[in-house]
Amino acid sequence: MEIKITTLSENTAGAFDLLGEWGLSILVEAYGARVLLDTGRDISAVHNADELSIDLDTIDKIVLSHGHHDHTGGLRNVLSKMNRKGIEVIAHPDVFAPKYARRQGIDRFVGIPFPRKELEDAGAHFRLATAPIIINDHVLTTGEIPMVTGYEQVDAALYVKKGDSWQPDPLADDLALIIKSTAGLIVILGCAHCGAVNTLLHAQALTGIDKIHTVIGGTHLFNANREQIQLTISALKQFGVQKLGVSHCTGLSTAALLAREFGDAFFFNTAGTQVIIPIE
């Protein structure tokens, strides 16, 4: 048996004929489940799935790691490609909140670019929950992630607009996908807005499994200070991570530091990357 993890959308493309696009979409095939975590920003997930000969219509469920457009903007295209009704889409209730980034005096909408009804008409059946969702005996979502480390904070430039007022977005909808395997935990991150280390600690607490074998996805370290990056590296080493594939919002300079620190355990998780983990 094996676990197969294929990145369909990421900022950069790792092979000819694939598209790079700011965002993330990762297909997880594990213990009989086929789960798509996020859908990229627009067309890349569907295009790259076709190029990789992956039939999106065989996906069981879609999980949205949070409500930002670079992780949800491809959802309508994915649903159209699947062309069926009642596709379960797992997310947090805040996923449809009116999310904005406020940087350098510019307010920019960064939420899901489609009304909920339009997505439901396209085939989505939303399952919104704050708690973890068990997909099968080995695969589950994290649900809300507690903020415990102290050095990991939600980006202060992110807001939710309610009427005429602006409120800091706590990103309560930030979640990750966990796979319990014989090799240890495999954690697939979206953006890790609540912190990669907070997410991994929560995965351990939820499952009762300490060993973390693989971490793949966005770590939201591209704007982090040196202290947070070093503390994150230290924590990842303490977790004993055997495979570390960073993407998207990690940032090239941070990825280079991680590559130096983790050596052969590290890989750039670009669009088209496929990771196969043998299991008993």
Side-chain angles (χ1 to χ4, degrees):
M1 290 180 64
E2 63 184 26
I3 293 168
K4 185 185 295 184
I5 301 164
T6 306
T7 298
L8 299 183
S9 177
E10 203 267 337
N11 304 4
T12 54
F16 290 115
D17 299 323
L18 299 184
L19 295 180
E21 181 180 77
W22 181 273
L24 196 65
S25 179
I26 299 176
L27 176 62
V28 174
E29 300 172 81
Y31 296 97
R34 289 173 59 87
V35 181
L36 185 67
L37 178 72
D38 293 337
T39 61
R41 181 171 181 175
D42 193 358
I43 63 172
S44 59
V46 168
H47 172 89
N48 292 343
D50 285 343
E51 291 293 333
L52 296 168
S53 300
I54 292 172
D55 183 1
L56 293 177
D57 203 38
T58 63
I59 291 170
D60 303 319
K61 301 179 191 300
I62 298 170
V63 174
L64 301 180
S65 67
H66 61 300
H68 284 160
H69 63 155
D70 50 340
H71 294 253
T72 63
L75 181 53
R76 186 173 61 184
N77 288 327
V78 168
L79 293 169
S80 296
K81 187 71 172 181
M82 294 174 76
N83 194 30
R84 68 176 194 263
K85 297 297 183 182
I87 302 161
E88 187 169 75
V89 181
I90 297 169
H92 186 279
D94 288 354
V95 74
F96 283 102
K99 295 174 177 288
Y100 286 78
R102 309 190 76 189
R103 291 189 172 95
Q104 299 177 337
I106 299 173
D107 300 332
R108 184 167 59 93
F109 179 73
V110 295
I112 296 181
F114 315 109
R116 178 172 176 174
K117 186 178 186 304
E118 180 179 345
L119 296 171
E120 290 174 336
D121 289 345
H125 172 72
F126 286 96
R127 184 179 180 184
L128 305 180
T130 60
I133 296 294
I134 296 173
I135 294 172
N136 64 25
D137 289 344
H138 294 270
V139 183
L140 68 157
T141 68
T142 59
E144 291 186 3
I145 297 166
M147 304 289 289
V148 298
T149 61
Y151 57 86
E152 294 177 307
Q153 302 293 329
V154 173
D155 190 336
L158 300 176
Y159 285 81
V160 173
K161 189 175 184 181
K162 296 189 176 181
D164 294 328
S165 67
W166 297 89
Q167 300 177 9
D169 189 351
L171 264 296
D173 51 324
D174 180 61
L175 57 81
L177 196 65
I178 305 169
I179 306 165
K180 299 185 291 184
S181 81
T182 52
L185 294 180
I186 299 162
V187 182
I188 314 298
L189 306 171
C191 251
H193 280 285
C194 291
V197 178
N198 282 330
T199 303
L200 297 177
L201 290 170
H202 186 50
Q204 288 178 323
L206 278 177
T207 62
I209 299 171
D210 289 333
K211 184 178 180 182
I212 298 176
H213 184 273
T214 300
V215 178
I216 294 175
T219 63
H220 208 73
L221 290 171
F222 71 109
N223 279 332
N225 59 38
R226 187 76 174 190
E227 179 186 17
Q228 181 181 346
I229 293 170
Q230 291 301 326
L231 288 169
T232 300
I233 289 171
S234 177
L236 290 171
K237 288 183 175 180
Q238 289 178 4
F239 286 131
V241 174
Q242 300 298 301
K243 287 182 179 291
L244 177 63
V246 298
S247 295
H248 181 42
C249 54
T250 300
L252 287 177
S253 60
T254 303
L257 286 172
L258 291 167
R260 184 184 68 188
E261 294 287 342
F262 286 88
D264 291 342
F266 176 90
F267 59 96
F268 287 104
N269 191 52
T270 59
T273 298
Q274 188 172 89
V275 177
I276 295 177
I277 302 169
I279 54 175
E280 296 176 3

